[in-house]
Amino acid sequence: MILYHGSNVTVKEPKIMKSKRLLDFGTGFYLTSDYNQAKKWAVRTTSRREEGVPTISVFSIIESDLKNLELLTFDSANKEWLKYVAMNRTDQSAQDSYDIVIGPVANDQAIRTVNNYLKGYFTEDIAIQLLLPQNLKDQYTFKTEKALSILKYNEVEFV
């Protein structure tokens, strides 16, 4: 499986770094299987940090290696996904033992829905109804050193 990491720098040796930003799946190294999503992340990160160049670091994993890891997988933006994202985005980061969390990424439109849910403007059911028709891309969050150990750096692309 090929996964992409969009940033403003080349990442050959991923690290799990604490961020002040509240992200969907909490602290971890974020990748996607969607090249265009990684490209958006690269452009956005370069713009936000005001340095570097939009860069996509390409990694591969052997899918059978996943069986040795603790995975949390969300197949869609469902109630469980919404609760998990809400917990991480309100600085109540989930205290879990997952090595990798996989699921939809809250894009700009989805994050507005999540934020309105967090503010109490939408019920859980309404938020899910609004999220379902969106074509949300995926994200893989590698949350432990054990998870990072299965990543193999392949190449870098500048966008």
Side-chain angles (χ1 to χ4, degrees):
M1 174 189 298
I2 300 297
L3 297 173
Y4 306 98
H5 176 78
S7 185
N8 63 323
V9 296
T10 301
V11 177
K12 291 183 180 180
E13 296 180 19
K15 294 179 178 61
I16 298 169
M17 300 185 335
K18 299 279 184 194
S19 172
K20 292 180 182 170
R21 295 178 55 234
L22 301 174
L23 303 173
D24 291 354
F25 296 159
T27 300
F29 183 69
Y30 281 72
L31 301 109
T32 181
S33 67
D34 185 271
Y35 180 87
N36 288 324
Q37 179 66 34
K39 187 175 178 179
K40 287 179 188 175
W41 286 344
V43 169
R44 183 173 290 157
T45 300
T46 303
S47 175
R48 188 178 67 245
R49 293 183 180 164
E50 298 180 339
E51 63 182 6
V53 296
T55 305
I56 297 175
S57 299
V58 182
F59 294 87
S60 59
I61 61 171
I62 298 169
E63 289 187 59
S64 62
D65 287 344
L66 293 173
K67 70 180 179 201
N68 299 319
L69 300 172
E70 292 293 324
L71 302 179
L72 175 59
T73 303
F74 299 101
D75 294 325
S76 65
N78 56 28
K79 287 183 181 183
E80 291 75 25
W81 174 87
L82 181 61
K83 289 177 186 175
Y84 192 81
V85 170
M87 189 173 15
N88 285 302
R89 286 195 169 261
T90 56
D91 204 18
Q92 303 171 24
S93 294
Q95 300 299 320
D96 56 47
S97 59
Y98 296 107
D99 295 304
I100 300 175
V101 179
I102 304 166
V105 60
N107 63 18
D108 292 341
Q109 185 174 346
I111 202 57
R112 283 193 288 277
T113 300
V114 171
N115 286 338
N116 284 327
Y117 163 75
L118 291 172
K119 292 174 184 173
Y121 300 153
F122 295 154
T123 65
E124 191 175 88
D125 289 331
I126 290 172
I128 294 301
Q129 283 180 335
L130 293 169
L131 291 167
L132 285 178
Q134 297 184 33
N135 183 20
L136 301 178
K137 305 303 182 190
D138 64 21
Q139 59 187 338
Y140 290 69
T141 306
F142 285 63
K143 299 176 71 71
T144 64
E145 293 299 323
K146 183 177 178 183
L148 289 179
S149 73
I150 71 166
L151 282 173
K152 177 183 176 275
Y153 172 79
N154 291 352
E155 64 181 327
V156 65
E157 297 180 22
F158 300 100
V159 293

